[in-house]
Amino acid sequence: MKVLVIGTGAREHALCRSLSLDPDVSALHCAPGNAGIAEVAELHPVDALDGAAVTALAQRLGVDLVVVGPEAPLVAGVADAVRDAGIPVFGPSGEAAQLEGSKAFAKDVMAAAEVPTARSYVCTTPEEVAEALDAFGAPYVVKDDGLAAGKGVVVTSDLDEAKAHAAACERVVIEEFLDGPEVSLFAITDGDTVLPLQPAQDFKRALDGDEGPNTGGMGAYSPLPWADPKLVDEVLQTVLQPTVDEMRRRGTPFSGLLYAGLAITSRGVRVIEFNARFGDPETQVVLARLKTPLAGVLLAAASGNLEDLPPLRWSEDAAVTVVIASHNYPGTPRTGDPITGLDEVAAQDAPHAYVLHAGTKRDGDAVVSAGGRVLSVTASGKDLTEARERAYRAVTRIGLDGSQHRTDIAAKAASEAR
Ligand code: AMP
Ligand code: GLY
């Protein structure tokens, strides 16, 4: 099978790594990719938001499957263009990707499907905002309605800050605060059959102890030793399947990866958000544990044959990933700094630990930073403690001037599981 992956982050590197290890994959392409992906896939320049350009590339390469990684091309309808050309594509249509593209749309689908989520108001004027904030009280949760790379949400007890964020957005969703730990659960679906993956937890805040601003995600781990073993089944029954069924009922079936961001509250599981693609950095740890070769699973979803697929096989190992981010991330990051130590990790820590590239590019012989999140250092182990030790050992070998990373990824879960 020849596969083309669209995107450029650590998630795409994780997808490409798994696909490159799949004996069914005879050729692997990625566009536009990064310096790390170049080691496992052939890179091609493309405007990932241009459906015609992506389709032309897929046709020229003669691929059997296109996998669209990020949300922006999905919302822009890139999967529709590829599918219209008769090429199987893993990723929802532009209309179905509105589950991620519009928080208000997602709320509407959840209401129709009776999926448990935070109570919310959609507001467009300062008066509506003030009223909604008053109705729920602190802590306030204010969400930009549109795509914001995980950074459009402000959770604060400061009323002025909540109002200021709302004023900076055109349309906002204001909702009740959900307490309790967060879980990311991904499901692969062909629009009908829903196949949940293993749950993971993401660390969204920039600094240790969940301090600092929200980011795209600073690290992740899987499995969740503290979670109820029935969680996946419960979320399949109450969230994932009803949502997929509702999308099909609306005439906009959702196929691809449905990502449920969940809060495990004192009153039960609630959906915080949906995403229409693999999450980053959770994908890095979920795929580290998936034993079933990936290409066949993605192709089955893309071609509507998920029902016939044997159950997925999972490793008993735990996986941890630690994101190394640029100076000043999640603000405007500094880029162009050389990265050192990649060869040392490959020589000394493989195969248990490895570096997935997020924002990197080649500059002559050097690999340099090219984005906010630069690397995602991933490791497996017999438990979270061992996976953490391996990941952080590899992190210490990496040099990147001014970089930052959290030191507490999976720390609490590892110590509780002992
Ligand atoms: P989202 O982009 O919707 O995933 O929100 C980003 C982050 O903001 C989430 O991962 C949560 O940590 C936090 N958040 C979002 N909605 C809520 C809520 N209703 N209650 C508490 N925290 C929230
Ligand atoms: N890990 C958060 C996201 O992918 O949106």
Side-chain angles (χ1 to χ4, degrees):
M1 193 191 313
K2 296 181 189 165
V3 184
L4 168 63
V5 175
I6 301 299
T8 182
R11 161 189 50 214
E12 284 73 21
H13 194 176
L15 287 163
C16 284
R17 180 178 184 275
S18 291
L19 290 167
S20 73
L21 297 170
D22 182 337
D24 282 341
V25 174
S26 56
L28 183 59
H29 302 274
C30 183
N34 60 35
I37 299 175
E39 288 170 21
V40 292
E42 190 181 331
L43 300 193
H44 306 272
V46 79
D47 175 359
L49 296 177
D50 181 343
V54 170
T55 305
L57 177 63
Q59 283 169 327
R60 182 163 68 73
L61 297 171
V63 297
D64 306 289
L65 174 68
V66 175
V67 180
V68 182
E71 60 273 24
L74 291 167
V75 170
V78 167
D80 305 72
V82 175
R83 201 175 282 117
D84 287 348
I87 303 170
V89 54
F90 184 84
S93 68
E95 272 185 315
Q98 284 303 307
L99 264 188
E100 171 164 7
S102 165
K103 304 233 180 232
F105 175 80
K107 285 288 184 188
D108 189 56
V109 171
M110 284 189 265
E114 296 181 22
V115 168
T117 183
R119 289 178 296 123
S120 66
Y121 295 107
V122 181
C123 307
T124 50
T125 67
E127 292 73 30
E128 286 172 2
V129 166
E131 214 170 299
L133 292 173
D134 187 49
F136 290 129
Y140 305 105
V141 181
V142 182
K143 302 187 173 187
D144 191 340
D145 182 45
L147 283 185
K151 293 178 246 165
V153 177
V154 165
V155 181
T156 177
S157 291
D158 180 341
L159 184 59
D160 291 333
E161 189 189 347
K163 284 183 175 166
H165 181 57
C169 311
E170 223 166 273
R171 197 155 92 124
V172 291
V173 174
I174 292 178
E175 64 180 39
E176 89 186 285
F177 178 78
L178 300 174
D179 62 349
E182 288 179 40
V183 172
S184 300
L185 184 62
F186 303 164
I188 290 181
T189 175
D190 56 9
D192 214 334
T193 301
V194 180
L195 210 63
L197 306 185
Q198 289 286 307
Q201 191 172 49
D202 177 17
F203 293 75
K204 288 238 167 78
R205 300 280 187 153
L207 307 175
D208 281 0
D210 294 329
E211 303 283 340
N214 260 319
T215 70
M218 294 299 289
Y221 67 94
S222 176
L224 312 178
W226 50 269
D228 184 339
K230 296 194 294 290
L231 178 71
V232 172
D233 243 9
E234 182 193 338
V235 176
L236 175 62
Q237 303 304 331
T238 61
V239 173
L240 299 166
Q241 191 72 56
T243 300
V244 166
D245 291 346
E246 171 62 18
M247 293 297 285
R248 195 176 59 248
R249 197 191 62 72
R250 290 177 178 225
T252 52
F254 184 101
S255 77
L257 194 290
L258 179 59
Y259 165 143
L262 307 161
I264 314 299
T265 76
S266 44
R267 289 178 298 132
V269 174
R270 299 281 185 278
V271 174
I272 295 178
E273 62 161 351
F274 283 129
N275 291 319
R277 37 87 197 166
F278 280 99
D280 189 342
E282 299 95 310
T283 300
Q284 289 87 301
V285 290
V286 172
L287 292 185
R289 300 186 54 227
L290 179 65
K291 290 202 329 207
T292 307
L294 184 62
V297 181
L298 301 184
L299 182 64
S303 38
N305 299 323
L306 221 42
E307 201 183 14
D308 303 328
L309 205 73
L312 297 177
R313 290 180 294 113
W314 295 96
S315 161
E316 293 293 311
D317 281 357
V320 170
T321 195
V322 179
V323 170
I324 299 181
S326 302
H327 183 69
N328 202 41
Y329 177 76
T332 308
R334 198 172 87 197
T335 58
D337 290 306
I339 301 165
T340 59
L342 296 169
D343 291 342
E344 282 86 330
V345 175
Q348 304 193 42
D349 302 312
H352 301 299
Y354 47 89
V355 179
L356 298 170
H357 291 222
T360 69
K361 65 173 192 199
R362 250 193 197 279
D363 183 3
D365 281 343
V367 175
V368 301
S369 60
R373 290 186 293 176
V374 180
L375 302 170
S376 187
V377 180
T378 308
S380 297
K382 65 178 185 305
D383 54 22
L384 288 173
T385 299
E386 190 177 55
R388 277 192 93 231
E389 281 166 7
R390 287 172 169 168
Y392 278 108
R393 193 177 314 136
V395 166
T396 62
R397 299 192 209 277
I398 303 289
L400 172 61
D401 195 33
S403 69
Q404 41 165 332
H405 66 267
R406 281 183 63 158
T407 66
D408 63 348
I409 303 301
K412 186 158 166 277
S415 68
E416 285 170 2
R418 273 169 184 274

